[in-house]
């Protein structure tokens, strides 16, 4: 029951903080983001490590389903959408997600350790606990 209360609190916080960043109405032929990353964070990098992963809650406050198909950051030379899973032999396996992360209308899609993540490949700088990036 407590986890439902925490989830509801997160959704309400996401609703009130995301309203300020909702995209303008789309004009014909233009592409506007409808999915926002709420409470995003990335693992601090270890010296010399070429990659890291970013997590958070993808939020879609629109009336239409959407899919995050790509992402970018100035902290890495490339970004990929990945999923962590276990093989039948109990070995953790990470692989790119084909087609992106689907986010239903008025819903969310969690990015978390042990599951879906945004991989930051070829870090351009060290990621520190207090650093911010775009």
């Amino acid at each position: 029951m407590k986890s439902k209360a925490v989830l509801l609190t997160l959704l309400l916080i996401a609703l009130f903080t995301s309203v300020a960043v909702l995209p303008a109405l789309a004009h014909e032929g233009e592409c506007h983001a409808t999915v926002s990353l709420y409470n995003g964070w990335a693992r601090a990098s270890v010296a010399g490590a070429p990659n890291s992963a970013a997590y958070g809650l993808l939020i879609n406050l629109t009336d239409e389903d959407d899919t995050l198909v790509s992402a970018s950051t100035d902290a890495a030379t490339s970004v990929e959408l990945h999923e962590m899973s276990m093989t039948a032999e109990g070995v953790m396996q990470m692989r790119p997600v084909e087609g992106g992360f689907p986010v239903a209308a008025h819903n969310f899609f969690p990015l978390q350790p042990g599951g879906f993540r945004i991989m930051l490949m070829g870090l351009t700088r060290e990621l520190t606990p207090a650093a911010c990036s775009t």
Side-chain angles (χ1 to χ4, degrees), residues 12 21 34 36 48 50-51 53 59 61 63 73 78 83 88-89 91 97 99 102 106 116 121 126-129:
L12 289 173
V21 296
T34 59
S36 299
N51 305 324
I59 305 283
L61 298 178
D63 293 331
T73 178
S78 67
E83 177 184 18
E89 296 78 31
V91 177
V97 172
H106 302 285
F116 296 98
M121 315 289 276
E126 185 177 346
L127 301 180
T128 59

Side-chain angles (χ1 to χ4, degrees), residues 35-49:
V35 174
S36 299
L37 179 63
Y38 172 74
N39 204 22
W41 63 279
R43 291 194 186 273
S45 59
V46 178

Side-chain angles (χ1 to χ4, degrees), residues 86-98:
M86 293 289 258
T87 66
E89 296 78 31
V91 177
M92 289 187 90
Q93 179 180 23
M94 187 170 45
R95 64 180 189 274
V97 172
E98 298 297 324

Side-chain angles (χ1 to χ4, degrees), residues 1 39 44 57:
M1 189 65 150
N39 204 22
L57 199 60

Side-chain angles (χ1 to χ4, degrees), residues 46-130:
V46 178
N51 305 324
S52 185
Y55 307 97
L57 199 60
L58 296 175
I59 305 283
N60 178 0
L61 298 178
T62 71
D63 293 331
E64 296 182 22
D65 295 348
D66 205 348
T67 302
L68 179 71
V69 294
S70 66
S72 63
T73 178
D74 59 358
T77 58
S78 67
V79 177
E80 296 180 3
L81 308 179
H82 279 220
E83 177 184 18
M84 181 75 76
S85 61
M86 293 289 258
T87 66
E89 296 78 31
V91 177
M92 289 187 90
Q93 179 180 23
M94 187 170 45
R95 64 180 189 274
V97 172
E98 298 297 324
F101 298 146
V103 187
H106 302 285
N107 215 325
F108 64 93
F109 186 92
L111 303 176
Q112 58 194 13
F116 296 98
R117 71 216 33 235
I118 298 173
M119 286 300 300
L120 310 176
M121 315 289 276
L123 294 175
T124 57
R125 63 177 175 273
E126 185 177 346
L127 301 180
T128 59

